[in-house]
Amino acid sequence: MTDPTAAATQANTVPPNHKRVRTRHFQSAKENGVKITGLTSYDQLTASIFDAAGIDFLLVGDSAGNNVLGYDTTLPVKVDDLIPLTRAVAGAVSRAFVVADMPFGSYETGPDEALHTAFRFMKETHAHAVKLEGGVRSAEQIRRIVSAGIPVMAHIGFTPQSEHGLGGHIIQGRGEGAEQLLADAHAVEEAGAFAVVLEMVPSHVAEQVTRELRIPTIGVGAGPHVDGQLLVWTDWAGLTTGRIPKFVKKYANLSEVLTDAVKSYISDVSDHAYPAPEHEYED
């Protein structure tokens, strides 16, 4: 939540990890027109790098299913899969706000199940908040978790855990769907969510939601008129292969970098160039 002008002024005096980001900073950012930045992370190494660079929040997403665990979708991901990943991320940061994703099947049956899952994440990982999908249909779950003192980030629009019910990766909020999206947005705000992710919705609809809500909106393919942005780090860094969503901007090409590095390593070993004398131990 860095104001670019202020950041330029303070660049030599205030390190990125100077202050722990909390829910009140999300609200303050919205009120002051400061953009919020988020990335996914699933391990200690990337979390520490992103944290030191000044990212505002890290989501330990069930997207780990596609990016870590080798699944085709997020649906098989279990709570027990995400707990060690979340623990690693939470233990690596000193500034960023860490949000744990509640996977499919861990909250849908009702508020009691949702609260039990949230308790597990908060006690076993030291995350700072949880995230769950669904608007009106998840309002009671959100309300129950928040009443227990646990911050909740909501997620509406395209909700990957419901991809089969939605008919695939379909943009949400178009035409008459805008009314339902607005209803979902107001439902999660009224239930107590501190922020809401809007995924794959038309920019003008996301703008209306952002204007109507008091809580911050975080866009994932929702255009520029939201309060913050979130991307899956493997998409953003050029590690993901195959289909990349239209909304992703690639900020690096780590797939190419790693491929070149592996080829160089194979060549050096094959040509007896590695290990060289400087890599050997002496008596």
Side-chain angles (χ1 to χ4, degrees):
M1 299 159 199
T2 304
D3 181 332
T5 303
T9 303
Q10 301 177 8
N12 296 321
T13 58
V14 181
N17 62 353
H18 179 67
K19 182 183 289 187
R20 170 75 75 184
V21 176
R22 302 186 185 277
T23 54
R24 61 187 172 85
H25 296 123
F26 283 77
Q27 190 60 44
S28 176
K30 181 179 180 74
E31 293 170 356
N32 292 286
V34 177
K35 293 293 187 179
I36 302 163
T37 58
L39 288 169
T40 64
S41 179
Y42 318 104
D43 63 272
Q44 177 266 336
L45 290 174
T46 58
S48 61
I49 291 169
F50 300 158
D51 182 58
I55 204 74
D56 293 320
F57 76 96
L58 293 172
L59 170 67
V60 187
D62 61 2
S63 50
N66 310 78
N67 294 292
V68 177
L69 302 173
Y71 300 134
D72 292 332
T73 72
T74 65
L75 298 182
V77 176
K78 301 183 292 292
V79 172
D80 287 339
D81 293 326
L82 291 184
I83 280 181
L85 305 184
T86 307
R87 186 186 300 121
V89 170
V93 303
S94 60
R95 177 186 180 275
F97 190 85
V98 177
V99 181
D101 219 353
M102 292 172 60
F104 179 68
S106 69
Y107 60 91
E108 286 87 350
T109 63
D112 288 343
E113 180 189 42
L115 183 58
H116 174 73
T117 301
F119 277 152
R120 283 203 64 192
F121 274 113
M122 300 302 286
K123 290 173 71 69
E124 297 180 40
T125 73
H126 298 163
H128 308 125
V130 296
K131 182 179 78 65
L132 64 155
E133 297 181 1
V136 173
R137 66 181 172 86
S138 296
E140 289 306 312
Q141 286 91 324
I142 294 171
R143 186 172 289 108
R144 183 66 173 276
I145 296 170
V146 171
S147 70
I150 300 172
V152 174
M153 177 178 282
H155 184 159
I156 63 174
F158 175 71
T159 47
Q161 294 172 12
S162 306
E163 67 169 297
H164 295 308
L166 295 172
H169 287 71
I170 307 298
I171 297 171
Q172 302 297 302
R174 283 177 165 166
E176 295 180 357
E179 184 177 344
Q180 182 60 55
L181 188 74
L182 286 165
D184 285 335
H186 285 287
V188 299
E189 179 180 69
E190 291 167 8
F194 74 90
V196 56
V197 172
L198 306 177
E199 182 166 353
M200 288 176 59
V201 301
S203 297
H204 73 279
V205 178
E207 182 177 15
Q208 182 179 353
V209 172
T210 301
R211 188 169 58 247
E212 292 189 12
L213 293 191
R214 298 183 303 277
I215 62 173
T217 55
I218 308 297
V220 179
H225 306 299
V226 289
D227 298 308
Q229 300 289 341
L230 169 67
L231 284 174
V232 172
W233 91 264
T234 48
D235 293 343
W236 160 91
L239 273 180
T240 304
T241 57
R243 177 185 172 275
I244 304 297
K246 176 183 179 180
F247 59 80
V248 173
K249 178 177 179 179
K250 188 185 293 187
Y251 284 84
N253 193 345
L254 295 191
S255 178
E256 183 176 302
V257 170
L258 290 175
T259 298
D260 289 345
V262 172
K263 289 180 177 179
S264 294
Y265 170 64
I266 293 171
S267 176
D268 278 359
V269 172
S270 300
D271 296 341
H272 305 282
Y274 175 82
E278 62 266 28
H279 304 120
E280 297 182 53
Y281 295 109
E282 297 180 356
D283 290 336

